[in-house]
């Protein structure tokens, strides 16, 4: 079938290192001892030449025939040479062959077959169910075609909306499993919540656009995490994710009643689990509070699953949102530093040797007499700490040293 052929050829081409660049120089340098014989058919696709010859420069494509590109007396390296290019929105294919060995009628039949096959490929690509992925589209996931198909069947987004995928880390898997097995009542495990009181005036439109912009920059904020029914859990990154923003207006209430309603909403939010396999596990809410005389505060609530972000990443996201909001609220374009794709870390992680790491940690922990319990598991231990607010002043040099130490230690 045409679609199967396309998928097989696509994966075969992507498997060639560096798209074949350097193969010719290696042969000429003698680095390949037994170079392959010249193939009977040479295919040369020049791409969309309109981009290079758009008519705005000194050179433009000539509509008339240019004649043969080589002398008929020249030695032919290939029995057939097929050249193709897209010009003026149309695919142009030229076939040259030795007329003394292949009859013209035979080549006409070949050309007709090529046109028919191209038509079948176009029909297959334009079909309603044409969208799909192959293993080469998700190289880090380590899936074969049946595995890719099974993954797509579980996703809440279509195949064309998938950017990439890779194995989830063991920590992510553990956080998701423990969160799903947490208590039925009370705060859900590993649901992190931040609530920020924003003094008026607040441009809520610019604030939401800032979150959209930061989500578009970071793969983590466009990620689903699937673990049930899979051989190993996978992170799947969507190409786009526009977070839904819940809005709650408490301005009709008295101040005390509005604060109580906000506290209740925050408690419900903390108790609401994320299904990371059905939607990106983070959410936003805006709560409007009454003011004493004029507009009141707006409380921005950002909640996310801990499997999505750690503490360091959390504040990186907040810094970018604030910077983007500051620019957008004054009508400027945010100027943020380029964001490194999270897939780069997944690639680095996949290249590590798990046996070597296990050997290292076994040696490092060999002196411990027994497994060490966490504080909450020790007799009389507790995992909670009392919180107190302390106000004080530090000299600027001390603050600078603390900030630098925190930066170096990634605190």
């Amino acid at each position: 079938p045409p679609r199967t052929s396309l998928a097989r050829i696509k994966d075969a081409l992507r498997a060639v290192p560096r798209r074949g660049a350097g193969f010719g120089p290696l042969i000429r340098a003698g680095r390949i001892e037994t170079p392959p014989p010249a193939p009977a058919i040479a295919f040369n696709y020049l791409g969309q030449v309109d981009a290079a010859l758009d008519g705005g420069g000194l050179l433009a494509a000539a509509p008339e025939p240019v004649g043969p590109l080589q002398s008929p007396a020249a030695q032919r390296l290939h029995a057939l040479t097929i050249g193709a290019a897209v010009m003026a929105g149309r695919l142009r294919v030229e076939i040259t062959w030795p007329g003394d060995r292949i009859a013209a009628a035979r080549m006409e039949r070949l050309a007709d077959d090529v046109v028919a096959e191209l038509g079948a490929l176009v029909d297959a690509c334009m079909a309603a169910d044409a969208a799909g992925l192959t293993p080469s589209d998700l190289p880090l996931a380590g899936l074969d075609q049946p595995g890719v198909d099974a993954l797509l069947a579980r996703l809440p987004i279509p195949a064309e909306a998938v950017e990439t995928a890779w194995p989830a880390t063991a920590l992510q898997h553990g956080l998701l499993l423990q969160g799903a097995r947490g208590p039925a009542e009370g705060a859900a495990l590993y649901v992190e919540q931040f609530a920020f009181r924003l003094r008026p005036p607040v441009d809520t439109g610019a604030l939401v656009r800032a979150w959209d912009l930061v989500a578009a920059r970071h793969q983590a904020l466009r990620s689903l995490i699937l673990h049930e029914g899979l051989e190993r859990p996978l992170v799947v990154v969507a190409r786009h994710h526009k977070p839904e923003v819940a809005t709650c207006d408490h301005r009709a209430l008295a101040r005390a009643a509005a604060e109580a309603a906000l506290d209740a909403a925050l408690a419900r939010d903390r108790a609401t689990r994320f299904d990371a396999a059905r939607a990106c596990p983070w959410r936003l809410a805006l709560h409007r509070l009454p003011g004493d005389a004029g507009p009141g505060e707006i409380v921005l609530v950002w909640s996310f699953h801990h499997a999505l972000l750690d503490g360091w990443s959390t504040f990186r996201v907040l810094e970018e949102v604030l910077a983007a909001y500051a620019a957008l609220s004054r009508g400027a374009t945010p100027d943020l530093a380029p964001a490194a794709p999270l897939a780069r870390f997944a690639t680095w992680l996949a290249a590590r040797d798990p046996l070597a790491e296990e050997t290292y940690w076994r040696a490092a922990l060999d002196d411990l007499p027994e497994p060490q319990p966490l504080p909450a598991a020790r007799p009389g231990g507790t995992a909670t700490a009392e919180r107190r607010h302390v106000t004080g002043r530090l000299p600027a040099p001390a603050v600078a040293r603390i900030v630098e130490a925190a930066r170096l230690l990634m605190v």
Side-chain angles (χ1 to χ4, degrees):
R3 195 181 304 175
T4 303
S5 299
L6 275 177
R8 184 174 64 252
I9 292 171
K10 179 184 74 174
D11 287 350
L13 288 175
R14 288 180 175 179
V16 178
R18 299 178 61 190
R19 299 185 178 181
F23 182 68
L26 287 174
I27 292 179
R28 289 190 291 272
R31 300 284 296 277
I32 299 179
E33 297 181 359
T34 307
I41 300 176
F43 179 77
N44 187 19
Y45 175 59
L46 300 178
Q48 300 188 30
V49 297
D50 307 70
L53 303 174
D54 58 1
L58 296 176
L59 301 177
E64 66 273 5
V66 297
L69 299 181
Q70 64 183 44
S71 168
Q75 181 181 2
R76 298 186 63 88
L77 297 178
H78 314 282
L80 293 180
T81 300
I82 303 174
V86 174
M87 299 181 63
R90 294 187 175 185
L91 175 66
R92 180 174 180 176
V93 181
E94 293 185 354
I95 306 175
T96 59
W97 70 93
D100 58 339
R101 288 190 287 168
I102 304 177
R106 184 179 179 186
M107 296 309 302
E108 289 180 0
R109 291 195 298 271
L110 174 63
D112 291 339
D113 291 342
V114 169
V115 172
E117 189 65 23
L118 285 173
L121 291 173
V122 171
D123 291 341
C125 293
M126 296 299 292
D129 60 344
L133 300 176
T134 63
S136 67
D137 293 310
L138 308 174
L140 295 175
L143 300 174
D144 56 11
Q145 190 60 55
V148 172
D149 295 339
L151 174 65
L152 293 178
R154 293 174 174 270
L155 289 176
I157 57 176
E160 61 267 23
V162 175
E163 180 178 310
T164 186
W166 58 74
T169 65
L171 179 59
Q172 286 178 312
H173 191 199
L175 291 175
L176 288 171
L177 287 178
Q178 290 207 20
R181 297 170 182 170
E185 298 181 357
L189 287 177
Y190 304 117
V191 171
E192 308 294 330
Q193 183 190 80
F194 287 84
F196 305 94
R197 289 180 176 265
L198 309 178
R199 291 190 296 270
V202 177
D203 186 343
T204 55
L207 184 60
V208 172
R209 292 198 303 274
W211 279 99
D212 290 343
L213 185 149
V214 174
R217 285 168 46 82
H218 293 286
Q219 291 179 324
L221 297 179
R222 293 179 276 115
S223 294
L224 307 164
I225 308 177
L226 289 78
H227 63 100
E228 293 183 357
L230 296 178
E231 182 178 345
R232 57 178 175 174
L234 290 174
V235 174
V236 179
V237 180
R239 295 188 182 277
H240 308 284
H241 175 62
K242 186 177 180 63
E244 294 186 7
V245 184
T247 57
C248 302
D249 195 337
H250 309 291
R251 289 177 294 181
L253 301 176
R255 182 72 183 188
E259 291 290 348
L262 174 63
D263 291 341
L266 293 178
R268 288 193 301 271
D269 179 74
R270 290 192 297 271
T272 303
R273 290 179 171 83
F274 288 101
D275 185 353
R278 305 305 304 169
C280 298
W282 63 284
R283 53 183 174 249
L284 297 170
L286 292 174
H287 294 263
R288 296 181 179 273
L289 299 178
D292 295 331
E297 295 177 326
I298 291 180
V299 178
L300 168 66
V301 182
W302 176 38
S303 303
F304 58 90
H305 198 291
H306 193 31
L308 198 68
L309 297 168
D310 60 6
W312 179 260
S313 305
T314 297
F315 289 98
R316 176 70 179 270
V317 169
L318 289 173
E319 286 177 359
E320 292 192 5
V321 169
L322 292 175
Y325 171 74
L328 292 171
S329 61
R330 64 173 186 270
T333 300
D335 183 17
L336 303 177
L342 190 57
R344 185 182 301 172
F345 170 71
T347 302
W348 172 84
L349 198 62
R352 297 181 67 83
D353 182 359
L355 181 59
E357 295 196 352
E358 179 183 351
T359 301
Y360 167 82
W361 285 109
R362 284 187 178 277
L365 303 176
D366 189 54
D367 293 338
L368 294 177
E370 58 185 13
Q372 300 299 296
L374 295 174
R378 295 172 184 163
T382 176
T384 62
E386 182 181 355
R387 295 187 179 183
R388 293 184 180 178
H389 293 279
V390 178
T391 302
R393 291 184 176 274
L394 293 174
V399 172
R401 289 196 299 271
I402 292 173
V403 170
E404 179 63 16
R407 187 186 67 81
L408 292 175
L409 296 173
M410 299 181 128
V411 175

